[in-house]
Amino acid sequence: MDLTSIGGIVFGLGMILLGQKLEGGHVGSILVLSAGMIVIGGTIGAVMLAFPTKDFVRGLKMVGLVFVDKKSDLPGLAKQIVDLASIARRDGVLALEAKLGEVQDPFLKRALGYVVDGVDASVTRDSLETAMEAEAGEATIGAKVWETAGGFSPTVGILGAVLGLIHVMENLSDPSKLGGGIAVAFVGTIYGVGSANLFFLPFANKIKRKLKLEKERNTLIAEGVLSIQEGVNPRVLEEKLRAYTGEHAPPKGADDKKKAA
Amino acid sequence: MDLTSIGGIVFGLGMILLGQKLEGGHVGSILVLSAGMIVIGGTIGAVMLAFPTKDFVRGLKMVGLVFVDKKSDLPGLAKQIVDLASIARRDGVLALEAKLGEVQDPFLKRALGYVVDGVDASVTRDSLETAMEAEAGEATIGAKVWETAGGFSPTVGILGAVLGLIHVMENLSDPSKLGGGIAVAFVGTIYGVGSANLFFLPFANKIKRKLKLEKERNTLIAEGVLSIQEGVNPRVLEEKLRAYTGEHAPPKGADDKKKAA
Amino acid sequence: MDLTSIGGIVFGLGMILLGQKLEGGHVGSILVLSAGMIVIGGTIGAVMLAFPTKDFVRGLKMVGLVFVDKKSDLPGLAKQIVDLASIARRDGVLALEAKLGEVQDPFLKRALGYVVDGVDASVTRDSLETAMEAEAGEATIGAKVWETAGGFSPTVGILGAVLGLIHVMENLSDPSKLGGGIAVAFVGTIYGVGSANLFFLPFANKIKRKLKLEKERNTLIAEGVLSIQEGVNPRVLEEKLRAYTGEHAPPKGADDKKKAA
Amino acid sequence: MDLTSIGGIVFGLGMILLGQKLEGGHVGSILVLSAGMIVIGGTIGAVMLAFPTKDFVRGLKMVGLVFVDKKSDLPGLAKQIVDLASIARRDGVLALEAKLGEVQDPFLKRALGYVVDGVDASVTRDSLETAMEAEAGEATIGAKVWETAGGFSPTVGILGAVLGLIHVMENLSDPSKLGGGIAVAFVGTIYGVGSANLFFLPFANKIKRKLKLEKERNTLIAEGVLSIQEGVNPRVLEEKLRAYTGEHAPPKGADDKKKAA
Amino acid sequence: MDLTSIGGIVFGLGMILLGQKLEGGHVGSILVLSAGMIVIGGTIGAVMLAFPTKDFVRGLKMVGLVFVDKKSDLPGLAKQIVDLASIARRDGVLALEAKLGEVQDPFLKRALGYVVDGVDASVTRDSLETAMEAEAGEATIGAKVWETAGGFSPTVGILGAVLGLIHVMENLSDPSKLGGGIAVAFVGTIYGVGSANLFFLPFANKIKRKLKLEKERNTLIAEGVLSIQEGVNPRVLEEKLRAYTGEHAPPKGADDKKKAA
């Protein structure tokens, strides 16, 4: 559960509605079905037209990523890879096979599969990189769907507002209805600007950020497993992976020596 | 037939018109010939001025891509290429000649033509890449035409609205006509914003996405055929192509071994 | 004569004026000298300030490119280069000297000059590439001048409109002049948005597109002449150049064989 | 203490409030709690939704960078590195260990740690580069948080203004309250535009600039330490580092000779 | 003295004021101290906050570049370098020392200093490139300061206008002051849009263009001096440099031969 996501929606909407209440307005004024149909319906139509079906569906599904919080224990992952490297060093890469069952991360499992299977190192690298690129590309499309929705909705909101204003202008003869009509028309702008800035664009950004972190995780795995395949010394590997885990400390040896000195 | 495209237009326009009806407006108010002439005519003129004739015509033709849904069976295509690789391995590349008739995909046919013809590997690679780049470049221009139209039409819509408002302002003396005049003027904005957001920009995006998928397909073909020419082992090729087909599973061998273990 | 350019201007302006007429307006309302001075004058001033004199003049001159249509017979050019390659193959590169007089294209003439002159291959490549880059860079500046004008003019138009509105506001006491004053003020917006979207930005785009095609042509020439210098087989060269001419057909040999099969 | 940052805020806000006072307005008119809640609350909500918790917190923390002025004595740093290079040249890299205690800069300390520790040169380079990339990437996210806030707040400000206008329109019957109501509504725009342009966007820019300078400093350190590890002549190193310190003078030797000549 | 810069300001401002006069307005209406304080003061504050002190000062200083016109005789410079190459060829690089006094261009002087000083070729290349990059980077920041000012000022102008409108709305009871109040408020927009489009953004563009030309000049120098160090034949060097000077003519030899033929 991503509490910042849920907190962001609750806090943002809450403050806006509270502020509106303080000014003397009521929520009812901005609950206008027709405006909602125009803005949300028009935006959905534009996004459907803008993307192939597969992309559109992927975009809808990826909204899950906004609210789910995957724990990412990078130092733990690095430690696991270094342990696997030690085993491979000592007992040969085939010894990793027995460990495959304990591996949780699907990408790590897959990458180790290549090693155990004796796939050529350059093919392993190519396959892992192509897979990472392909996954990242596909996933980015999901974020792009929301970004596009956030680009269309404010202008569709303006379209809704102008449609309402046209209606008002055609009925200028009854001034008593003027204010109410304009108010309803303005709700289109609220829906367009609000949906884009409080939902669609933040969704796109959060998805992109989480994909970025996912990619960093996979890069660590790929680097680690390729090093195992090359038979890199586990201690060197440990040092190498530290750069990816954000533990920006000098290598252990350096500290030891300093203490000794 | 691309149902998402048609559905997007029908749903988007439908919801907007329904919403307008709910508010008490009627479609008639936004059917204004003069506004249509100004916005669509002005936009067409600007786009014609902005592109060479050839690009403009290509852009118009490419709108077909928005509504046609080409099936793209990537795994099937990869299988076909692996089968061809097996034949080439067993019987030599000339044996592929008899198979050329069965190949549907024009790019695959062309690529195999180079192999059968004994064209040098580096020339084949260069030719396929240059052809892919050139096709992609030309096709992108088609999408760009619609993007440009979507960039011009909202501002031409504002131009139409302001033209209408000028007319209204010059006739302020008759207030009874004021509202109707402003309403007509606002239709220019509707046409500009609507054509851009409900048609032109989504068209451009859909075209770009479909071209991207087409390019991925052609990359798979080029990689596959170049591997055939190099005499790559069909099983290694199968593994290699899997990265392009989106089947992100560990190589078959790895699974077998795991089951055996 | 680029008919799409002229047609675009005539059609765009025509439809806008016709639409305005249909609404009951007359051209006279939007012919306001003061607004033209403010918008066009202000934009010219800003563009002069934004570019060195040389760039500014080049930009003005390049507007010719918008209206002139240079025929570009790429397949014919490729054939000519292949013929020259055959001569060079048979009789040596010095034999090309006699042919220099028949060459029309200045860039081809220049490139062949290096070959005939026995200039070192790497110097030829460097010189041709640097020249192409330099020409493309300079020419792009010409397009950039119009793009910048198209960026400034709408905001200068708003400046003109606001100047007009200030004048109107200061004379609110005479309501009979209100409408006319606002109408005149709005003409500034018309000029700003219109000049940018119907002229400046399309100019920039057309210039950029034509320069792109020019560069593709020069790339074909450079590739061809460098191949002549390297003594590439004319048939291989023919195949190589086909990728640049947009004739995306399998090499001739492949077809022959298929027919024979 | 970054006096330009504090001066910028004081001067900017001061001039705006003074200007408002000159026009006869008073600060009280723009101190509207409800508008503040809507604009700032809505923006915070959107930013929380747009970023993972870790990024959001990092963004908040990095605002410190805007107000703290880290002295960066690049020539002094270069001199220190050249001195260390001399020691390493004379007494071997292990002699640097005794100097580690005097080194203040944490990145320099860390880089020297690798050298003293005898880590392989390519691993040192990889580790330093990955660390610099990682730090720069993480830090950029902090700037991005403010940039995103500056992108959301003006539109949320418009949302607040329109909410206010809706309220006004619904109460048109009492014209005496009209002006005050619109005034309050407009405060939303003030808050949105003001927070973005006077705080959020400048914050983002200042953070990015300071990170850029930090990265240049670290590049100098990395280049210097790697040269020490390679055993580069201290005088050559001095010359090399001069390019990074902004001392764009010809090498000392050149001057000497000229004087001698 | 850059006459286009001064001419651009005079012509732009002149036409705008003349146009305003034609419409019946007077300059006095747009000379409003309070609006100037808000817009210019607020923009200065935002820019100070957005940049480190050093960048801000550099930006202010670089405005000189907008008005100063440095003559750049590239063909003459190329000739000078070719002459120096001839001397170096004939009498050795040390013979260049005597010529250093005649060299005006500081970058050429510096580059020759390396050659005379016998600095290693790769160090010379590195140093010249790093210096060019560093200078270009620092200078670009100067342009960026103005670009940022041009990005802030229109929105600060809107802020000023809305502040004025709030004041007007609060005093709706006295309609006679309405028009004048709105007029004053609108001056904020004039200042914001005008300062950005007539000054700040053109300043940034002109500075960037001049830096680009400076960089091209330095590239020619670097290429030339490195060729001297490598002992390239002066005639080949002459040909090579021609690509940088914009003299896109076939090499001299080619013409000679043609004439002879």
Side-chain angles (χ1 to χ4, degrees), chain E residues 6 16 20 187 210 216 222 257:
Chain E
I6 293 163
I16 289 172
Q20 194 210 12
V187 172
K210 290 200 174 168
E216 280 169 23
K257 285 196 187 171

mmCIF file of all heavy atoms in Angstrom, chain E residues 6 16 20 187 210 216 222 257:
data_model
loop_
_atom_site.group_PDB
_atom_site.id
_atom_site.type_symbol
_atom_site.label_atom_id
_atom_site.label_comp_id
_atom_site.label_asym_id
_atom_site.label_seq_id
_atom_site.Cartn_x
_atom_site.Cartn_y
_atom_site.Cartn_z
ATOM 1 N N ILE E 6 20.677 47.424 -31.490
ATOM 2 C CA ILE E 6 20.141 48.742 -31.151
ATOM 3 C C ILE E 6 18.967 49.076 -32.060
ATOM 4 O O ILE E 6 17.912 49.535 -31.603
ATOM 5 C CB ILE E 6 21.269 49.786 -31.247
ATOM 6 C CG1 ILE E 6 22.274 49.487 -30.125
ATOM 7 C CG2 ILE E 6 20.710 51.196 -31.130
ATOM 8 C CD1 ILE E 6 23.601 50.135 -30.328
ATOM 9 N N ILE E 16 5.704 50.255 -31.741
ATOM 10 C CA ILE E 16 4.654 49.997 -30.752
ATOM 11 C C ILE E 16 4.102 51.310 -30.219
ATOM 12 O O ILE E 16 2.872 51.508 -30.144
ATOM 13 C CB ILE E 16 5.207 49.112 -29.613
ATOM 14 C CG1 ILE E 16 5.428 47.688 -30.148
ATOM 15 C CG2 ILE E 16 4.272 49.105 -28.420
ATOM 16 C CD1 ILE E 16 6.148 46.763 -29.194
ATOM 17 N N GLN E 20 0.429 52.891 -30.826
ATOM 18 C CA GLN E 20 -0.423 53.287 -29.703
ATOM 19 C C GLN E 20 -0.905 54.728 -29.895
ATOM 20 O O GLN E 20 -2.066 55.050 -29.663
ATOM 21 C CB GLN E 20 0.362 53.144 -28.392
ATOM 22 C CG GLN E 20 -0.544 53.194 -27.166
ATOM 23 C CD GLN E 20 0.171 53.769 -25.950
ATOM 24 O OE1 GLN E 20 1.252 54.332 -26.066
ATOM 25 N NE2 GLN E 20 -0.463 53.646 -24.795
ATOM 26 N N VAL E 187 -1.431 47.410 -17.170
ATOM 27 C CA VAL E 187 -0.048 47.800 -17.443
ATOM 28 C C VAL E 187 0.928 46.722 -16.952
ATOM 29 O O VAL E 187 1.981 46.505 -17.559
ATOM 30 C CB VAL E 187 0.273 49.176 -16.826
ATOM 31 C CG1 VAL E 187 1.749 49.494 -16.946
ATOM 32 C CG2 VAL E 187 -0.550 50.258 -17.517
ATOM 33 N N LYS E 210 25.876 34.402 -30.539
ATOM 34 C CA LYS E 210 27.243 34.923 -30.592
ATOM 35 C C LYS E 210 28.226 33.930 -29.970
ATOM 36 O O LYS E 210 29.358 33.792 -30.438
ATOM 37 C CB LYS E 210 27.315 36.297 -29.905
ATOM 38 C CG LYS E 210 26.589 37.367 -30.722
ATOM 39 C CD LYS E 210 27.031 38.781 -30.358
ATOM 40 C CE LYS E 210 26.388 39.805 -31.295
ATOM 41 N NZ LYS E 210 26.541 41.196 -30.822
ATOM 42 N N GLU E 216 32.606 28.210 -32.911
ATOM 43 C CA GLU E 216 33.034 27.772 -34.240
ATOM 44 C C GLU E 216 34.434 28.310 -34.546
ATOM 45 O O GLU E 216 35.285 27.609 -35.077
ATOM 46 C CB GLU E 216 32.039 28.254 -35.296
ATOM 47 C CG GLU E 216 30.793 27.393 -35.376
ATOM 48 C CD GLU E 216 29.700 28.016 -36.225
ATOM 49 O OE1 GLU E 216 30.025 28.863 -37.075
ATOM 50 O OE2 GLU E 216 28.522 27.666 -36.029
ATOM 51 N N ALA E 222 41.473 25.410 -32.843
ATOM 52 C CA ALA E 222 41.949 24.161 -32.243
ATOM 53 C C ALA E 222 42.352 23.174 -33.330
ATOM 54 O O ALA E 222 43.433 22.568 -33.267
ATOM 55 C CB ALA E 222 40.869 23.568 -31.341
ATOM 56 N N LYS E 257 43.221 22.156 -62.569
ATOM 57 C CA LYS E 257 43.225 21.064 -63.533
ATOM 58 C C LYS E 257 42.140 21.260 -64.582
ATOM 59 O O LYS E 257 42.333 21.027 -65.765
ATOM 60 C CB LYS E 257 43.007 19.740 -62.822
ATOM 61 C CG LYS E 257 44.252 19.294 -62.067
ATOM 62 C CD LYS E 257 44.157 17.832 -61.706
ATOM 63 C CE LYS E 257 45.330 17.456 -60.796
ATOM 64 N NZ LYS E 257 45.169 16.115 -60.247
#
